[in-house]
Structure formats: C-alpha cells, structure tokens
Amino acid sequence: MWWLLPYLSLFINLVIIRFMPKHLTKKEIYISWLVVALINLSSDIVLSLYFRLYELNGDDVQLSVHIIELTLGASYGIIFLNFMPKTMKRFIVYCVYWLIFSLLFESLLSYTDFIHYFEWNIWYSALYYLAAFFFIRWHLHFIRS
C-alpha cells in the first residue's frame, strides 16, 4: 500500500496549513506553492524518468504519483516557510531539524516501496534538501522585496 503514507501525509499537512497561525500572505503561499511544486516535479522527472536514478511507484508515468509530486513537497514547503526563523543562526538549527525529518520521511517512503533507489543514495537527498532549504529562504526574501 504505497499510496497510504504520501496521501495521509498530504492530508495532515493540509490540516496543519489550514489551522496554523499564518506568517505568510496568501500571495506568498500561492507563489511559493507553485515554485516548490514546479521544482519538485521537474527535478523528479529529470532524475527519475530521464537519468533513472530512482523511481516513484513503478517505472511508468502515473497520474497519482504526479499528484503527490505537485502537492506533498509543496505542502511541506509552505509549513517550512511559515515557521522559518528570521536570523541565520536559528535558521541553521531549523534546517538541521528539517533535514533529519526529511531524511527519515524519505526512508519511510522507501520502506513502504513508494521510492525505489537505483543509482540514488539518500545522502544525495540530504544535499538536495539543504540546497532547497536555502533556496526557499532566498525565494521568500525575493518575493517580499
């Protein structure tokens, strides 16, 4: 039952987003959701379908997987941005906690057979997540300026 974990996580994230105290404007949420979803989908298409480093729920293109790619990562991105600290020192600590959570969550997705690694290593994901955290911080600064 590969689909249970990602969809359950998405549902929980949407409930959190609905009821969390908002530190982002509706426009910031909208733009950030689109940017994170586009980056997530395009990087998964390149790394999974083109380079075959991993696959998400099988080796063919599936609408259910694309729905998760467009929503789950973006929902985590909105939660990450909403509670992101302003100072760099606190941001680094925040990133460490998010990195641990992200790697554990990805490991769980691998354990439930949603992700199958070929040439990919979870430590590559750690580098990807770190780059994403710093990009999304810059992104929020950029759209606010």
Side-chain angles (χ1 to χ4, degrees), residues 2-21:
W2 70 266
W3 56 270
L4 183 62
L5 179 62
Y7 280 101
L8 180 62
S9 300
L10 176 61
F11 175 76
I12 291 168
N13 287 356
L14 293 176
V15 170
I16 290 170
I17 290 170
R18 172 66 179 94
F19 293 106
M20 70 184 179

Side-chain angles (χ1 to χ4, degrees), residues 2-4 6-7 10 41 56-58 60-72 114:
W2 70 266
W3 56 270
L4 183 62
Y7 280 101
L10 176 61
L41 180 62
L56 302 175
N57 191 44
D60 55 341
V61 178
Q62 301 172 39
L63 180 60
S64 59
V65 171
H66 291 313
I67 290 170
I68 287 297
E69 288 176 312
L70 289 170
T71 56
L72 186 59
F114 180 71

Side-chain angles (χ1 to χ4, degrees), residues 17-117:
I17 290 170
R18 172 66 179 94
F19 293 106
M20 70 184 179
K22 305 291 188 295
H23 302 292
L24 302 170
T25 66
K26 289 179 183 178
K27 184 186 273 187
E28 289 167 344
I29 292 171
Y30 177 76
I31 293 169
S32 299
W33 187 288
L34 291 177
V35 167
V36 172
L38 178 63
I39 290 171
N40 190 35
L41 180 62
S42 60
S43 62
D44 277 343
I45 287 172
V46 170
L47 297 173
S48 176
L49 297 178
Y50 184 74
F51 288 113
R52 300 287 300 151
L53 299 176
Y54 56 88
E55 67 183 12
L56 302 175
N57 191 44
D59 60 351
D60 55 341
V61 178
Q62 301 172 39
L63 180 60
S64 59
V65 171
H66 291 313
I67 290 170
I68 287 297
E69 288 176 312
L70 289 170
T71 56
L72 186 59
S75 66
Y76 278 117
I78 297 304
I79 295 168
F80 177 88
L81 273 176
N82 190 68
F83 295 107
M84 181 178 66
K86 293 187 189 307
T87 65
M88 185 55 78
K89 188 175 186 176
R90 292 185 69 212
F91 176 73
I92 298 295
V93 173
Y94 185 70
C95 281
V96 169
Y97 284 113
W98 269 93
L99 180 62
I100 292 167
F101 169 76
S102 300
L103 294 175
L104 289 173
F105 185 70
E106 185 172 323
S107 296
L108 194 55
L109 288 172
S110 176
Y111 179 76
T112 59
D113 291 329
F114 180 71
I115 299 173
H116 301 274
Y117 298 120

